[in-house]
Amino acid sequence: MDWLSPEEWTAVRLSLKVALVAMTASLLPGIAVAYALERGRFWGWQVLDVLVHLPLVLPPVVVGYALLLGFGRRGPIGSVLAEQFGIVLSFRWTGAALACAIMGFPLLVRAIRLSLETVDRKLEDAAGTLGAHPAWVFLFVTLPLILPGIIAGMVLSFAKAMGEFGATITFVSNIPGETQTIPSAIYTFTQVPGGEGGALRLTLVSVAISIAALWISEWMARRVRRRFLA
C-alpha cells in the first residue's frame, strides 16, 4: 500500500490488531453469556442483562472514562494488574482492545442469543434422552446450529472495534504508533491543514475492510448452512 503514508499504514495495522484481539477475547465469554441469558433464569439475570447491554446506550466517552477509573494505573483493578502482574492497560494498545471488546460485546451476545432462540429444543432433548451429557449436547448439537449467529456476532464485534472512537480515545488517548487507530487518525487529520487527503485514504481503507468482513462472514455462514443442511 504505497499510497498510504507510514503513519496511515501504522494506524491500519493497529486497528486490525486491536479489532481482532477484541473480537477473539470476547468470543467465549460472549457465547457463555448469551447462553446464560437465553436459557437460564437465575438470581441476578436482569442485572446481567442490563450490564451486558449498557454499552449500547451509554455514550462511548462514559464507558472510556469508567475504564480509566477502574483500569487506570491508580484504579482499583489497574493498580493490582500493574503492581502484581506488570500489566498496564491505560494508554496502551491492549487498553484499546479492552475498550473495543466492551463496546462490541452487546452486539456479539445479541447475535448469538437470537440464534439460540431459533434452535429446536426437541433436538437437544432427543440427544439428552439418548444419554448424552449436557456439555456434549451443546458441543455437537447446539453449537453447530448457532454457528451462523456466532459468525454474525463476530463480524459485528469486529466492525464495532474497527469504528470505535469515543471509548478508546478517552481510555488510551490518541498516541501515534501505540493507540492511534483509524478513527482517531482520521480525527487527527481533520484537525490539521492539508490533512484531508490522509482522512480520505483512511476512510476508503475502513470501508474496504468493512465490506471484506461482511463478504467473508456471508461466505462462511453459507458454507456452514450447506454443511449442516446437506
Side-chain angles (χ1 to χ4, degrees):
M1 290 189 177
D2 295 336
W3 56 286
L4 291 177
S5 69
E7 180 184 7
E8 294 161 8
W9 179 233
T10 299
V12 172
R13 286 187 298 179
L14 182 61
S15 294
L16 289 171
K17 180 169 72 170
V18 166
L20 287 171
V21 170
M23 178 191 70
T24 304
S26 302
L27 184 56
L28 291 181
I31 294 173
V33 170
Y35 190 87
L37 290 176
E38 174 58 27
R39 298 293 177 84
R41 285 300 180 270
F42 47 87
W43 185 90
W45 180 90
Q46 290 183 323
V47 175
L48 177 61
D49 193 31
V50 169
L51 289 176
V52 167
H53 293 92
L54 200 56
L56 286 179
V57 295
L58 281 177
V61 173
V62 173
V63 177
Y65 184 64
L67 288 172
L68 190 60
L69 292 177
F71 290 88
R73 290 293 295 266
R74 297 182 180 180
I77 302 175
S79 59
V80 174
L81 291 176
E83 294 172 5
Q84 301 297 325
F85 304 100
I87 299 174
V88 178
L89 296 174
S90 57
F91 308 107
R92 300 288 191 275
W93 76 267
T94 49
L98 174 62
C100 290
I102 290 175
M103 294 301 297
F105 194 70
L107 301 175
L108 175 67
V109 170
R110 184 60 179 165
I112 298 174
R113 190 174 171 185
L114 288 173
S115 189
L116 277 166
E117 290 178 359
T118 65
V119 173
D120 188 352
R121 299 290 293 271
K122 293 179 181 179
L123 297 175
E124 297 173 317
D125 294 339
T129 57
L130 294 174
H133 190 275
W136 296 115
V137 173
F138 176 79
L139 287 175
F140 293 104
V141 178
T142 309
L143 191 60
L145 293 174
I146 65 173
L147 269 180
I150 293 175
I151 294 171
M154 291 171 63
V155 172
L156 289 173
S157 175
F158 177 84
K160 179 64 176 175
M162 285 293 298
E164 181 52 44
F165 175 72
T168 53
I169 201 170
T170 305
F171 182 39
V172 298
S173 190
N174 183 14
I175 306 171
E178 179 64 36
T179 64
Q180 188 179 73
T181 56
I182 290 178
S184 54
I186 292 174
Y187 172 78
T188 300
F189 279 126
T190 60
Q191 303 304 304
V192 298
E196 295 83 2
L200 178 60
R201 287 191 294 270
L202 287 179
T203 298
L204 294 175
V205 170
S206 182
V207 171
I209 292 173
S210 299
I211 292 174
L214 289 172
W215 183 84
I216 291 172
S217 71
E218 287 296 323
W219 176 75
M220 291 178 64
R222 285 197 299 268
R223 283 182 61 88
V224 168
R225 292 191 191 99
R226 285 199 297 265
R227 179 179 178 182
F228 289 101
L229 293 177

